Amino acid sequence: MLAEIDATGLPLVRRGKVRDVFAAGDDRLVLVATDRLSAFDTVLGCVPGKGRVLTAVSAWWFEQLRPVVAHHLIDVPHPAVSVVHRCETLPVEVVVRGYLTGVTSTSMWTRYEKGQRVIDGIRLPDGLERNSRLPRPFVTPTTKAPDGAHDEPLSVAEVAERGLVAPSLWADVVDIALHLFARGTALASTRGLVLVDTKYEFGVLDGRPVLIDEVHTPDSSRFWDGRVDPAPDANMDKEIVRRWYAAQGYRGEGDPPPMSPELVARVADAYGEVAERLCGRPPVVADEDGEEDAVREVVRELTGGQT
């Protein structure tokens, strides 16, 4: 599995929960999507082939969503490696929700079930049930917390009020996010998938907002299998992991138990199926013995790093 790239001699910019990021000159970055899986703001382990799935699915979506907004992707020189424009990253995650769902302590459904009717600045009516469609898709931003910390939910208004993003730019980003979600929902439906909610990240390039990081992957989005009835019982995303942990009594506090081999296999199968439905072909299988060395060599060539 591709757990981590040895950064010795390479221009490492940062290690995120999932991606290792390297500099390729002043205006480009090299993103390595590892097989690390993060939930509850914690890296829980690795899922074989996950990085390749995220890379392929994001590349497919970036192209499909080009009519809505520009993106940062330049090239995919390896199934787990992306070359992207270096952008000024906005300090918020833009979450768009289409359904009332979730199992974590901070999920919209959990808070609604406890009686909250104003959630992240959004007033919801009484009488909604778990997994019901929201009256319309809503944007619910969060801060970007450092590794090991929890993101802070915000209202749309608070982003501009706190000075996190300039008001005019933020208004454009919110509008773009809703259009992305609408197009994503329609395209996913043609593949037998229900796009439940998702997270977008944006940057600024040449004065314009651009879509960055990943998009509509099983890591950044909830997907239900629209070919199963009822669809909410058939997650095809990281919610499989969250539900498994919830069944163990863990909801994000304290040290998490390790993922079981059965859980890892189930996640790998679900992610692979999402990739195949969206991209029209199964993900390219990695040579597990040589994957890390192969990826490191690609990064070295792209960044001018040392051997």
Side-chain angles (χ1 to χ4, degrees), residues 193-228:
L193 297 168
V194 179
L195 179 60
V196 178
D197 52 39
T198 194
K199 176 201 73 174
Y200 301 118
E201 296 204 34
F202 289 90
V204 176
L205 181 66
D206 298 329
R208 300 182 304 161
V210 293
L211 189 60
I212 65 171
D213 193 52
E214 62 182 293
V215 57
H216 293 165
T217 70
D219 252 22
S220 65
S221 310
R222 283 189 180 93
F223 287 107
W224 293 335
D225 190 345
R227 299 172 184 175
V228 173

PDB file of all heavy atoms in Angstrom, residues 193-228:
ATOM      1  N   LEU A 193     -25.857   6.643  -8.942  1.00  0.00           N
ATOM      2  CA  LEU A 193     -25.352   7.107  -7.656  1.00  0.00           C
ATOM      3  C   LEU A 193     -26.141   8.322  -7.197  1.00  0.00           C
ATOM      4  O   LEU A 193     -26.500   9.180  -8.008  1.00  0.00           O
ATOM      5  CB  LEU A 193     -23.866   7.478  -7.756  1.00  0.00           C
ATOM      6  CG  LEU A 193     -22.889   6.351  -8.098  1.00  0.00           C
ATOM      7  CD1 LEU A 193     -21.518   6.938  -8.436  1.00  0.00           C
ATOM      8  CD2 LEU A 193     -22.783   5.360  -6.947  1.00  0.00           C
ATOM      9  N   VAL A 194     -26.390   8.398  -5.894  1.00  0.00           N
ATOM     10  CA  VAL A 194     -27.024   9.569  -5.295  1.00  0.00           C
ATOM     11  C   VAL A 194     -25.944  10.385  -4.598  1.00  0.00           C
ATOM     12  O   VAL A 194     -25.286   9.893  -3.670  1.00  0.00           O
ATOM     13  CB  VAL A 194     -28.113   9.159  -4.280  1.00  0.00           C
ATOM     14  CG1 VAL A 194     -28.743  10.398  -3.647  1.00  0.00           C
ATOM     15  CG2 VAL A 194     -29.175   8.291  -4.940  1.00  0.00           C
ATOM     16  N   LEU A 195     -25.727  11.608  -5.058  1.00  0.00           N
ATOM     17  CA  LEU A 195     -24.782  12.505  -4.399  1.00  0.00           C
ATOM     18  C   LEU A 195     -25.493  13.146  -3.215  1.00  0.00           C
ATOM     19  O   LEU A 195     -26.379  13.985  -3.390  1.00  0.00           O
ATOM     20  CB  LEU A 195     -24.269  13.565  -5.373  1.00  0.00           C
ATOM     21  CG  LEU A 195     -23.278  14.586  -4.798  1.00  0.00           C
ATOM     22  CD1 LEU A 195     -22.027  13.911  -4.259  1.00  0.00           C
ATOM     23  CD2 LEU A 195     -22.915  15.630  -5.866  1.00  0.00           C
ATOM     24  N   VAL A 196     -25.134  12.742  -2.022  1.00  0.00           N
ATOM     25  CA  VAL A 196     -25.847  13.139  -0.808  1.00  0.00           C
ATOM     26  C   VAL A 196     -25.331  14.474  -0.284  1.00  0.00           C
ATOM     27  O   VAL A 196     -26.096  15.394   0.006  1.00  0.00           O
ATOM     28  CB  VAL A 196     -25.703  12.045   0.271  1.00  0.00           C
ATOM     29  CG1 VAL A 196     -26.398  12.452   1.563  1.00  0.00           C
ATOM     30  CG2 VAL A 196     -26.242  10.721  -0.252  1.00  0.00           C
ATOM     31  N   ASP A 197     -24.037  14.581  -0.128  1.00  0.00           N
ATOM     32  CA  ASP A 197     -23.398  15.835   0.263  1.00  0.00           C
ATOM     33  C   ASP A 197     -21.936  15.752  -0.142  1.00  0.00           C
ATOM     34  O   ASP A 197     -21.440  14.689  -0.535  1.00  0.00           O
ATOM     35  CB  ASP A 197     -23.562  16.136   1.758  1.00  0.00           C
ATOM     36  CG  ASP A 197     -23.135  14.987   2.663  1.00  0.00           C
ATOM     37  OD1 ASP A 197     -22.126  14.333   2.352  1.00  0.00           O
ATOM     38  OD2 ASP A 197     -23.809  14.730   3.670  1.00  0.00           O
ATOM     39  N   THR A 198     -21.247  16.856  -0.053  1.00  0.00           N
ATOM     40  CA  THR A 198     -19.868  16.877  -0.515  1.00  0.00           C
ATOM     41  C   THR A 198     -19.117  18.048   0.089  1.00  0.00           C
ATOM     42  O   THR A 198     -19.718  18.959   0.661  1.00  0.00           O
ATOM     43  CB  THR A 198     -19.807  16.968  -2.052  1.00  0.00           C
ATOM     44  OG1 THR A 198     -18.484  16.652  -2.504  1.00  0.00           O
ATOM     45  CG2 THR A 198     -20.185  18.360  -2.550  1.00  0.00           C
ATOM     46  N   LYS A 199     -17.800  18.002  -0.053  1.00  0.00           N
ATOM     47  CA  LYS A 199     -16.926  19.083   0.396  1.00  0.00           C
ATOM     48  C   LYS A 199     -16.132  19.582  -0.800  1.00  0.00           C
ATOM     49  O   LYS A 199     -15.562  18.785  -1.560  1.00  0.00           O
ATOM     50  CB  LYS A 199     -15.961  18.572   1.467  1.00  0.00           C
ATOM     51  CG  LYS A 199     -14.948  19.597   1.947  1.00  0.00           C
ATOM     52  CD  LYS A 199     -13.739  18.926   2.583  1.00  0.00           C
ATOM     53  CE  LYS A 199     -12.859  18.273   1.541  1.00  0.00           C
ATOM     54  NZ  LYS A 199     -11.599  17.724   2.076  1.00  0.00           N
ATOM     55  N   TYR A 200     -16.116  20.892  -0.988  1.00  0.00           N
ATOM     56  CA  TYR A 200     -15.288  21.512  -2.030  1.00  0.00           C
ATOM     57  C   TYR A 200     -14.221  22.357  -1.372  1.00  0.00           C
ATOM     58  O   TYR A 200     -14.424  22.925  -0.295  1.00  0.00           O
ATOM     59  CB  TYR A 200     -16.125  22.414  -2.938  1.00  0.00           C
ATOM     60  CG  TYR A 200     -17.261  21.738  -3.660  1.00  0.00           C
ATOM     61  CD1 TYR A 200     -18.579  22.123  -3.445  1.00  0.00           C
ATOM     62  CD2 TYR A 200     -17.020  20.709  -4.566  1.00  0.00           C
ATOM     63  CE1 TYR A 200     -19.625  21.512  -4.118  1.00  0.00           C
ATOM     64  CE2 TYR A 200     -18.063  20.085  -5.237  1.00  0.00           C
ATOM     65  CZ  TYR A 200     -19.364  20.496  -5.008  1.00  0.00           C
ATOM     66  OH  TYR A 200     -20.405  19.891  -5.665  1.00  0.00           O
ATOM     67  N   GLU A 201     -13.083  22.459  -2.062  1.00  0.00           N
ATOM     68  CA  GLU A 201     -12.055  23.410  -1.665  1.00  0.00           C
ATOM     69  C   GLU A 201     -11.757  24.296  -2.858  1.00  0.00           C
ATOM     70  O   GLU A 201     -11.736  23.842  -4.005  1.00  0.00           O
ATOM     71  CB  GLU A 201     -10.798  22.695  -1.174  1.00  0.00           C
ATOM     72  CG  GLU A 201     -11.053  21.878   0.083  1.00  0.00           C
ATOM     73  CD  GLU A 201      -9.798  21.636   0.899  1.00  0.00           C
ATOM     74  OE1 GLU A 201      -8.923  22.528   0.919  1.00  0.00           O
ATOM     75  OE2 GLU A 201      -9.708  20.572   1.521  1.00  0.00           O
ATOM     76  N   PHE A 202     -11.531  25.578  -2.567  1.00  0.00           N
ATOM     77  CA  PHE A 202     -11.296  26.551  -3.619  1.00  0.00           C
ATOM     78  C   PHE A 202      -9.993  27.295  -3.374  1.00  0.00           C
ATOM     79  O   PHE A 202      -9.545  27.459  -2.247  1.00  0.00           O
ATOM     80  CB  PHE A 202     -12.439  27.577  -3.665  1.00  0.00           C
ATOM     81  CG  PHE A 202     -13.740  27.022  -4.188  1.00  0.00           C
ATOM     82  CD1 PHE A 202     -14.658  26.456  -3.316  1.00  0.00           C
ATOM     83  CD2 PHE A 202     -14.039  27.065  -5.539  1.00  0.00           C
ATOM     84  CE1 PHE A 202     -15.863  25.949  -3.774  1.00  0.00           C
ATOM     85  CE2 PHE A 202     -15.239  26.554  -6.015  1.00  0.00           C
ATOM     86  CZ  PHE A 202     -16.150  25.996  -5.142  1.00  0.00           C
ATOM     87  N   GLY A 203      -9.417  27.730  -4.469  1.00  0.00           N
ATOM     88  CA  GLY A 203      -8.275  28.611  -4.421  1.00  0.00           C
ATOM     89  C   GLY A 203      -8.501  29.777  -5.356  1.00  0.00           C
ATOM     90  O   GLY A 203      -9.533  29.865  -6.035  1.00  0.00           O
ATOM     91  N   VAL A 204      -7.544  30.675  -5.408  1.00  0.00           N
ATOM     92  CA  VAL A 204      -7.597  31.814  -6.317  1.00  0.00           C
ATOM     93  C   VAL A 204      -6.374  31.746  -7.220  1.00  0.00           C
ATOM     94  O   VAL A 204      -5.245  31.599  -6.744  1.00  0.00           O
ATOM     95  CB  VAL A 204      -7.629  33.144  -5.549  1.00  0.00           C
ATOM     96  CG1 VAL A 204      -7.583  34.322  -6.517  1.00  0.00           C
ATOM     97  CG2 VAL A 204      -8.881  33.224  -4.680  1.00  0.00           C
ATOM     98  N   LEU A 205      -6.613  31.835  -8.526  1.00  0.00           N
ATOM     99  CA  LEU A 205      -5.536  31.809  -9.513  1.00  0.00           C
ATOM    100  C   LEU A 205      -5.821  32.908 -10.529  1.00  0.00           C
ATOM    101  O   LEU A 205      -6.908  32.942 -11.120  1.00  0.00           O
ATOM    102  CB  LEU A 205      -5.473  30.444 -10.201  1.00  0.00           C
ATOM    103  CG  LEU A 205      -4.377  30.264 -11.252  1.00  0.00           C
ATOM    104  CD1 LEU A 205      -2.998  30.322 -10.602  1.00  0.00           C
ATOM    105  CD2 LEU A 205      -4.554  28.939 -11.995  1.00  0.00           C
ATOM    106  N   ASP A 206      -4.843  33.814 -10.692  1.00  0.00           N
ATOM    107  CA  ASP A 206      -5.021  34.934 -11.624  1.00  0.00           C
ATOM    108  C   ASP A 206      -6.288  35.728 -11.305  1.00  0.00           C
ATOM    109  O   ASP A 206      -7.019  36.167 -12.208  1.00  0.00           O
ATOM    110  CB  ASP A 206      -5.060  34.442 -13.073  1.00  0.00           C
ATOM    111  CG  ASP A 206      -3.766  33.756 -13.497  1.00  0.00           C
ATOM    112  OD1 ASP A 206      -2.708  34.154 -12.977  1.00  0.00           O
ATOM    113  OD2 ASP A 206      -3.830  32.824 -14.321  1.00  0.00           O
ATOM    114  N   GLY A 207      -6.586  35.854 -10.010  1.00  0.00           N
ATOM    115  CA  GLY A 207      -7.709  36.663  -9.587  1.00  0.00           C
ATOM    116  C   GLY A 207      -9.064  35.999  -9.677  1.00  0.00           C
ATOM    117  O   GLY A 207     -10.081  36.622  -9.373  1.00  0.00           O
ATOM    118  N   ARG A 208      -9.107  34.712 -10.066  1.00  0.00           N
ATOM    119  CA  ARG A 208     -10.381  34.012 -10.228  1.00  0.00           C
ATOM    120  C   ARG A 208     -10.464  32.822  -9.287  1.00  0.00           C
ATOM    121  O   ARG A 208      -9.443  32.172  -9.008  1.00  0.00           O
ATOM    122  CB  ARG A 208     -10.546  33.499 -11.660  1.00  0.00           C
ATOM    123  CG  ARG A 208     -10.529  34.541 -12.751  1.00  0.00           C
ATOM    124  CD  ARG A 208     -10.754  33.867 -14.098  1.00  0.00           C
ATOM    125  NE  ARG A 208      -9.760  32.819 -14.309  1.00  0.00           N
ATOM    126  CZ  ARG A 208      -9.904  31.815 -15.191  1.00  0.00           C
ATOM    127  NH1 ARG A 208     -11.015  31.702 -15.880  1.00  0.00           N
ATOM    128  NH2 ARG A 208      -8.941  30.922 -15.344  1.00  0.00           N
ATOM    129  N   PRO A 209     -11.657  32.488  -8.793  1.00  0.00           N
ATOM    130  CA  PRO A 209     -11.791  31.264  -7.995  1.00  0.00           C
ATOM    131  C   PRO A 209     -11.631  30.030  -8.857  1.00  0.00           C
ATOM    132  O   PRO A 209     -12.127  29.978  -9.988  1.00  0.00           O
ATOM    133  CB  PRO A 209     -13.215  31.363  -7.429  1.00  0.00           C
ATOM    134  CG  PRO A 209     -13.946  32.268  -8.366  1.00  0.00           C
ATOM    135  CD  PRO A 209     -12.931  33.225  -8.916  1.00  0.00           C
ATOM    136  N   VAL A 210     -10.902  29.040  -8.342  1.00  0.00           N
ATOM    137  CA  VAL A 210     -10.722  27.771  -9.039  1.00  0.00           C
ATOM    138  C   VAL A 210     -10.961  26.633  -8.056  1.00  0.00           C
ATOM    139  O   VAL A 210     -10.732  26.759  -6.850  1.00  0.00           O
ATOM    140  CB  VAL A 210      -9.313  27.635  -9.655  1.00  0.00           C
ATOM    141  CG1 VAL A 210      -9.105  28.634 -10.782  1.00  0.00           C
ATOM    142  CG2 VAL A 210      -8.229  27.802  -8.600  1.00  0.00           C
ATOM    143  N   LEU A 211     -11.423  25.516  -8.581  1.00  0.00           N
ATOM    144  CA  LEU A 211     -11.671  24.326  -7.782  1.00  0.00           C
ATOM    145  C   LEU A 211     -10.360  23.575  -7.598  1.00  0.00           C
ATOM    146  O   LEU A 211      -9.636  23.330  -8.573  1.00  0.00           O
ATOM    147  CB  LEU A 211     -12.698  23.445  -8.506  1.00  0.00           C
ATOM    148  CG  LEU A 211     -13.281  22.246  -7.773  1.00  0.00           C
ATOM    149  CD1 LEU A 211     -14.016  22.671  -6.510  1.00  0.00           C
ATOM    150  CD2 LEU A 211     -14.222  21.483  -8.708  1.00  0.00           C
ATOM    151  N   ILE A 212     -10.045  23.189  -6.355  1.00  0.00           N
ATOM    152  CA  ILE A 212      -8.759  22.549  -6.069  1.00  0.00           C
ATOM    153  C   ILE A 212      -8.967  21.284  -5.232  1.00  0.00           C
ATOM    154  O   ILE A 212     -10.080  20.914  -4.900  1.00  0.00           O
ATOM    155  CB  ILE A 212      -7.799  23.513  -5.353  1.00  0.00           C
ATOM    156  CG1 ILE A 212      -8.341  23.875  -3.960  1.00  0.00           C
ATOM    157  CG2 ILE A 212      -7.564  24.774  -6.172  1.00  0.00           C
ATOM    158  CD1 ILE A 212      -7.339  24.653  -3.101  1.00  0.00           C
ATOM    159  N   ASP A 213      -7.846  20.629  -4.944  1.00  0.00           N
ATOM    160  CA  ASP A 213      -7.791  19.464  -4.070  1.00  0.00           C
ATOM    161  C   ASP A 213      -8.428  18.259  -4.757  1.00  0.00           C
ATOM    162  O   ASP A 213      -7.862  17.717  -5.692  1.00  0.00           O
ATOM    163  CB  ASP A 213      -8.454  19.772  -2.720  1.00  0.00           C
ATOM    164  CG  ASP A 213      -8.151  18.718  -1.668  1.00  0.00           C
ATOM    165  OD1 ASP A 213      -6.960  18.411  -1.475  1.00  0.00           O
ATOM    166  OD2 ASP A 213      -9.087  18.194  -1.061  1.00  0.00           O
ATOM    167  N   GLU A 214      -9.591  17.813  -4.310  1.00  0.00           N
ATOM    168  CA  GLU A 214     -10.301  16.697  -4.929  1.00  0.00           C
ATOM    169  C   GLU A 214     -11.755  17.088  -5.085  1.00  0.00           C
ATOM    170  O   GLU A 214     -12.210  18.066  -4.483  1.00  0.00           O
ATOM    171  CB  GLU A 214     -10.187  15.433  -4.075  1.00  0.00           C
ATOM    172  CG  GLU A 214     -10.805  15.557  -2.692  1.00  0.00           C
ATOM    173  CD  GLU A 214     -10.623  14.292  -1.853  1.00  0.00           C
ATOM    174  OE1 GLU A 214     -11.214  13.260  -2.218  1.00  0.00           O
ATOM    175  OE2 GLU A 214      -9.884  14.355  -0.854  1.00  0.00           O
ATOM    176  N   VAL A 215     -12.496  16.313  -5.873  1.00  0.00           N
ATOM    177  CA  VAL A 215     -13.891  16.692  -6.085  1.00  0.00           C
ATOM    178  C   VAL A 215     -14.749  15.451  -6.302  1.00  0.00           C
ATOM    179  O   VAL A 215     -14.401  14.560  -7.075  1.00  0.00           O
ATOM    180  CB  VAL A 215     -14.024  17.679  -7.273  1.00  0.00           C
ATOM    181  CG1 VAL A 215     -13.455  17.096  -8.556  1.00  0.00           C
ATOM    182  CG2 VAL A 215     -15.472  18.096  -7.467  1.00  0.00           C
ATOM    183  N   HIS A 216     -15.856  15.387  -5.573  1.00  0.00           N
ATOM    184  CA  HIS A 216     -16.856  14.319  -5.693  1.00  0.00           C
ATOM    185  C   HIS A 216     -16.228  12.929  -5.653  1.00  0.00           C
ATOM    186  O   HIS A 216     -16.586  12.040  -6.427  1.00  0.00           O
ATOM    187  CB  HIS A 216     -17.654  14.487  -6.991  1.00  0.00           C
ATOM    188  CG  HIS A 216     -18.513  15.714  -7.015  1.00  0.00           C
ATOM    189  ND1 HIS A 216     -19.069  16.201  -8.192  1.00  0.00           N
ATOM    190  CD2 HIS A 216     -18.920  16.571  -6.035  1.00  0.00           C
ATOM    191  CE1 HIS A 216     -19.785  17.290  -7.924  1.00  0.00           C
ATOM    192  NE2 HIS A 216     -19.694  17.534  -6.625  1.00  0.00           N
ATOM    193  N   THR A 217     -15.286  12.741  -4.724  1.00  0.00           N
ATOM    194  CA  THR A 217     -14.711  11.414  -4.509  1.00  0.00           C
ATOM    195  C   THR A 217     -15.449  10.738  -3.354  1.00  0.00           C
ATOM    196  O   THR A 217     -16.145  11.404  -2.590  1.00  0.00           O
ATOM    197  CB  THR A 217     -13.217  11.506  -4.146  1.00  0.00           C
ATOM    198  OG1 THR A 217     -13.093  12.061  -2.828  1.00  0.00           O
ATOM    199  CG2 THR A 217     -12.443  12.358  -5.147  1.00  0.00           C
ATOM    200  N   PRO A 218     -15.269   9.422  -3.187  1.00  0.00           N
ATOM    201  CA  PRO A 218     -15.880   8.755  -2.022  1.00  0.00           C
ATOM    202  C   PRO A 218     -15.296   9.218  -0.692  1.00  0.00           C
ATOM    203  O   PRO A 218     -15.860   8.918   0.354  1.00  0.00           O
ATOM    204  CB  PRO A 218     -15.575   7.271  -2.267  1.00  0.00           C
ATOM    205  CG  PRO A 218     -15.254   7.164  -3.708  1.00  0.00           C
ATOM    206  CD  PRO A 218     -14.631   8.460  -4.096  1.00  0.00           C
ATOM    207  N   ASP A 219     -14.176   9.935  -0.731  1.00  0.00           N
ATOM    208  CA  ASP A 219     -13.601  10.514   0.481  1.00  0.00           C
ATOM    209  C   ASP A 219     -14.242  11.853   0.829  1.00  0.00           C
ATOM    210  O   ASP A 219     -14.472  12.151   2.000  1.00  0.00           O
ATOM    211  CB  ASP A 219     -12.096  10.728   0.300  1.00  0.00           C
ATOM    212  CG  ASP A 219     -11.269   9.745   1.112  1.00  0.00           C
ATOM    213  OD1 ASP A 219     -11.783   8.670   1.468  1.00  0.00           O
ATOM    214  OD2 ASP A 219     -10.097  10.052   1.373  1.00  0.00           O
ATOM    215  N   SER A 220     -14.512  12.667  -0.190  1.00  0.00           N
ATOM    216  CA  SER A 220     -14.993  14.024   0.051  1.00  0.00           C
ATOM    217  C   SER A 220     -16.511  14.143  -0.061  1.00  0.00           C
ATOM    218  O   SER A 220     -17.058  15.213   0.202  1.00  0.00           O
ATOM    219  CB  SER A 220     -14.353  14.997  -0.950  1.00  0.00           C
ATOM    220  OG  SER A 220     -14.771  14.700  -2.275  1.00  0.00           O
ATOM    221  N   SER A 221     -17.173  13.056  -0.439  1.00  0.00           N
ATOM    222  CA  SER A 221     -18.620  13.087  -0.677  1.00  0.00           C
ATOM    223  C   SER A 221     -19.275  11.857  -0.079  1.00  0.00           C
ATOM    224  O   SER A 221     -18.643  10.812   0.096  1.00  0.00           O
ATOM    225  CB  SER A 221     -18.922  13.104  -2.179  1.00  0.00           C
ATOM    226  OG  SER A 221     -18.187  14.090  -2.854  1.00  0.00           O
ATOM    227  N   ARG A 222     -20.560  11.989   0.211  1.00  0.00           N
ATOM    228  CA  ARG A 222     -21.373  10.814   0.500  1.00  0.00           C
ATOM    229  C   ARG A 222     -22.092  10.415  -0.783  1.00  0.00           C
ATOM    230  O   ARG A 222     -22.705  11.245  -1.450  1.00  0.00           O
ATOM    231  CB  ARG A 222     -22.410  11.098   1.589  1.00  0.00           C
ATOM    232  CG  ARG A 222     -21.870  11.122   3.008  1.00  0.00           C
ATOM    233  CD  ARG A 222     -23.034  11.193   4.005  1.00  0.00           C
ATOM    234  NE  ARG A 222     -22.576  11.216   5.378  1.00  0.00           N
ATOM    235  CZ  ARG A 222     -22.357  12.326   6.079  1.00  0.00           C
ATOM    236  NH1 ARG A 222     -22.544  13.505   5.508  1.00  0.00           N
ATOM    237  NH2 ARG A 222     -21.948  12.291   7.322  1.00  0.00           N
ATOM    238  N   PHE A 223     -22.003   9.123  -1.104  1.00  0.00           N
ATOM    239  CA  PHE A 223     -22.755   8.553  -2.217  1.00  0.00           C
ATOM    240  C   PHE A 223     -23.622   7.418  -1.698  1.00  0.00           C
ATOM    241  O   PHE A 223     -23.155   6.577  -0.915  1.00  0.00           O
ATOM    242  CB  PHE A 223     -21.810   7.985  -3.289  1.00  0.00           C
ATOM    243  CG  PHE A 223     -21.100   9.019  -4.112  1.00  0.00           C
ATOM    244  CD1 PHE A 223     -19.743   9.259  -3.919  1.00  0.00           C
ATOM    245  CD2 PHE A 223     -21.763   9.721  -5.102  1.00  0.00           C
ATOM    246  CE1 PHE A 223     -19.066  10.196  -4.692  1.00  0.00           C
ATOM    247  CE2 PHE A 223     -21.101  10.666  -5.872  1.00  0.00           C
ATOM    248  CZ  PHE A 223     -19.746  10.904  -5.671  1.00  0.00           C
ATOM    249  N   TRP A 224     -24.863   7.386  -2.141  1.00  0.00           N
ATOM    250  CA  TRP A 224     -25.708   6.218  -1.924  1.00  0.00           C
ATOM    251  C   TRP A 224     -25.852   5.485  -3.242  1.00  0.00           C
ATOM    252  O   TRP A 224     -25.788   6.090  -4.322  1.00  0.00           O
ATOM    253  CB  TRP A 224     -27.094   6.629  -1.423  1.00  0.00           C
ATOM    254  CG  TRP A 224     -27.110   7.231  -0.058  1.00  0.00           C
ATOM    255  CD1 TRP A 224     -26.193   7.046   0.945  1.00  0.00           C
ATOM    256  CD2 TRP A 224     -28.101   8.122   0.473  1.00  0.00           C
ATOM    257  NE1 TRP A 224     -26.544   7.770   2.058  1.00  0.00           N
ATOM    258  CE2 TRP A 224     -27.713   8.432   1.809  1.00  0.00           C
ATOM    259  CE3 TRP A 224     -29.276   8.681  -0.026  1.00  0.00           C
ATOM    260  CZ2 TRP A 224     -28.456   9.281   2.626  1.00  0.00           C
ATOM    261  CZ3 TRP A 224     -30.023   9.537   0.784  1.00  0.00           C
ATOM    262  CH2 TRP A 224     -29.617   9.827   2.096  1.00  0.00           C
ATOM    263  N   ASP A 225     -26.042   4.180  -3.147  1.00  0.00           N
ATOM    264  CA  ASP A 225     -26.250   3.372  -4.345  1.00  0.00           C
ATOM    265  C   ASP A 225     -27.697   3.525  -4.790  1.00  0.00           C
ATOM    266  O   ASP A 225     -28.614   2.971  -4.185  1.00  0.00           O
ATOM    267  CB  ASP A 225     -25.925   1.906  -4.048  1.00  0.00           C
ATOM    268  CG  ASP A 225     -25.896   1.057  -5.309  1.00  0.00           C
ATOM    269  OD1 ASP A 225     -26.398   1.527  -6.351  1.00  0.00           O
ATOM    270  OD2 ASP A 225     -25.377  -0.072  -5.244  1.00  0.00           O
ATOM    271  N   GLY A 226     -27.911   4.274  -5.854  1.00  0.00           N
ATOM    272  CA  GLY A 226     -29.259   4.523  -6.339  1.00  0.00           C
ATOM    273  C   GLY A 226     -29.918   3.304  -6.960  1.00  0.00           C
ATOM    274  O   GLY A 226     -31.112   3.339  -7.272  1.00  0.00           O
ATOM    275  N   ARG A 227     -29.156   2.224  -7.123  1.00  0.00           N
ATOM    276  CA  ARG A 227     -29.717   0.994  -7.683  1.00  0.00           C
ATOM    277  C   ARG A 227     -30.233   0.057  -6.592  1.00  0.00           C
ATOM    278  O   ARG A 227     -30.677  -1.057  -6.882  1.00  0.00           O
ATOM    279  CB  ARG A 227     -28.660   0.288  -8.526  1.00  0.00           C
ATOM    280  CG  ARG A 227     -28.185   1.140  -9.711  1.00  0.00           C
ATOM    281  CD  ARG A 227     -26.996   0.525 -10.430  1.00  0.00           C
ATOM    282  NE  ARG A 227     -26.522   1.414 -11.504  1.00  0.00           N
ATOM    283  CZ  ARG A 227     -25.440   1.187 -12.232  1.00  0.00           C
ATOM    284  NH1 ARG A 227     -24.700   0.099 -12.004  1.00  0.00           N
ATOM    285  NH2 ARG A 227     -25.083   2.050 -13.176  1.00  0.00           N
ATOM    286  N   VAL A 228     -30.131   0.503  -5.342  1.00  0.00           N
ATOM    287  CA  VAL A 228     -30.583  -0.291  -4.196  1.00  0.00           C
ATOM    288  C   VAL A 228     -31.735   0.454  -3.527  1.00  0.00           C
ATOM    289  O   VAL A 228     -31.741   1.680  -3.456  1.00  0.00           O
ATOM    290  CB  VAL A 228     -29.433  -0.514  -3.194  1.00  0.00           C
ATOM    291  CG1 VAL A 228     -29.935  -1.177  -1.926  1.00  0.00           C
ATOM    292  CG2 VAL A 228     -28.322  -1.343  -3.835  1.00  0.00           C
TER     293      VAL A 228
END
